[in-house]
Amino acid sequence: GAGVSQSPRYKVTKRGQDVALRCDPISGHVSLYWYRQALGQGPEFLTYFNYEAQQDKSGLPNDRFSAERPEGSISTLTIQRTEQRDSAMYRCASSLAGPQGRSTGELFFGEGSRLTVL
Amino acid sequence: SQKIEQNSEALNIQEGKTATLTCNYTNYSPAYLQWYRQDPGRGPVFLLLIRENEKEKRKERLKVTFDTTLKQSLFHITASQPADSATYLCALSNNDMRFGAGTRLTVKP
């Protein structure tokens, strides 16, 4: 597709269940970022990848959160044993690589996956 | 710890005036700074990027300044229009990309 695609768009789950959120970046984009955004707040950084390598996971709230991008394209954010406080919009963004393979900076965001934990 | 602060949650101005939004940061040495626009229910959309060695950048009615001594960026929208009403986010990058909380701008006709 032409843009960043995220699925599912909406996910309602019960507390304690695991969820997997998928991000399909723009073709050719080598950097991929995950954010969590609460209503009225800016995107909160979770983690990012260059190609398949996870560069920084310092924003992941705890060890229930993990992300992977095994082939340097599609990425999955997994939340294990979900809790009500995990309810939020989860956004993925991708960007092109500039010199030295690092992001050129401009992020293209998907429409997000809204997670509701009951 | 790193902090990115945008001057106010909300800014209301009259159509035709210049809107000025502020982004301050601490404990950070960004390679570049960006501004994004976000409309309700949508993802952020990139507007402008300014590098640490640049003082000012312009794009149409938009102007961004970047003062690494003050650790501050100013974002100006001249001749503002009601269609400019949105939330504006600043983002800092030094490999990662971190955002401020945003300022909600309302331009009244």
Side-chain angles (χ1 to χ4, degrees):
Chain A
V4 177
S5 177
Q6 291 188 246
S7 61
R9 291 291 309 280
Y10 302 92
K11 177 70 176 179
V12 180
T13 191
K14 291 184 179 179
R15 183 164 50 94
Q17 298 294 306
D18 297 351
V19 297
L21 307 177
R22 172 187 162 123
C23 174
D24 193 349
I26 294 172
S27 178
H29 279 199
V30 300
S31 298
L32 185 148
Y33 299 76
W34 281 102
Y35 292 90
R36 178 169 67 176
Q37 188 171 22
L39 202 61
Q41 297 296 311
E44 174 193 5
F45 173 81
L46 296 178
T47 186
Y48 89 100
F49 296 81
N50 277 347
Y51 301 95
E52 73 282 359
Q54 191 169 21
Q55 299 293 320
D56 183 347
K57 56 181 181 179
S58 63
L60 296 176
N62 51 60
D63 59 9
R64 294 186 297 106
F65 287 72
S66 63
E68 62 174 9
R69 194 186 184 199
E71 296 179 2
S73 179
I74 292 169
S75 176
T76 303
L77 177 70
T78 301
I79 309 172
Q80 296 179 308
R81 305 181 302 281
T82 53
E83 301 177 5
Q84 286 185 325
R85 60 179 171 155
D86 299 334
S87 298
M89 176 70 81
Y90 289 83
R91 296 197 184 275
C92 172
S94 68
S95 71
L96 283 165
Q100 301 167 352
R102 290 165 57 176
S103 169
T104 55
E106 178 180 353
L107 296 189
F108 293 81
F109 280 84
E111 291 301 317
S113 292
R114 179 166 294 285
L115 173 66
T116 302
V117 182
L118 302 176
Chain B
S1 62
Q2 297 169 345
K3 276 190 180 178
I4 303 169
E5 294 179 335
Q6 296 193 236
N7 59 324
S8 60
E9 283 191 14
L11 180 65
N12 299 316
I13 65 168
Q14 206 65 37
E15 182 177 9
K17 301 292 186 184
T18 296
T20 298
L21 285 66
T22 305
C23 177
N24 295 293
Y25 59 93
T26 55
N27 298 322
Y28 211 106
S29 296
Y32 51 83
L33 185 148
Q34 302 179 54
W35 285 87
Y36 286 75
R37 169 182 173 140
Q38 187 170 24
D39 291 289
R42 307 302 301 273
V45 174
F46 171 81
L47 295 175
L48 279 170
L49 179 153
I50 186 165
R51 300 188 185 281
E52 59 178 338
N53 59 350
E54 298 175 315
K55 296 291 186 188
E56 181 180 299
K57 188 158 280 188
R58 293 174 185 260
K59 179 183 175 182
E60 298 173 351
R61 294 184 296 112
L62 309 180
K63 184 178 87 170
V64 173
T65 63
F66 191 14
D67 188 326
T68 55
T69 301
L70 291 179
K71 295 187 183 296
Q72 181 181 79
S73 173
L74 299 179
F75 176 76
H76 306 273
I77 306 175
T78 58
S80 60
Q81 305 165 0
D84 295 327
S85 299
T87 295
Y88 291 87
L89 300 159
C90 73
L92 277 67
S93 179
N94 202 355
N95 295 320
D96 60 0
M97 186 85 67
R98 297 182 186 251
F99 285 79
T103 297
R104 189 173 65 254
L105 173 68
T106 302
V107 181
K108 298 183 178 180

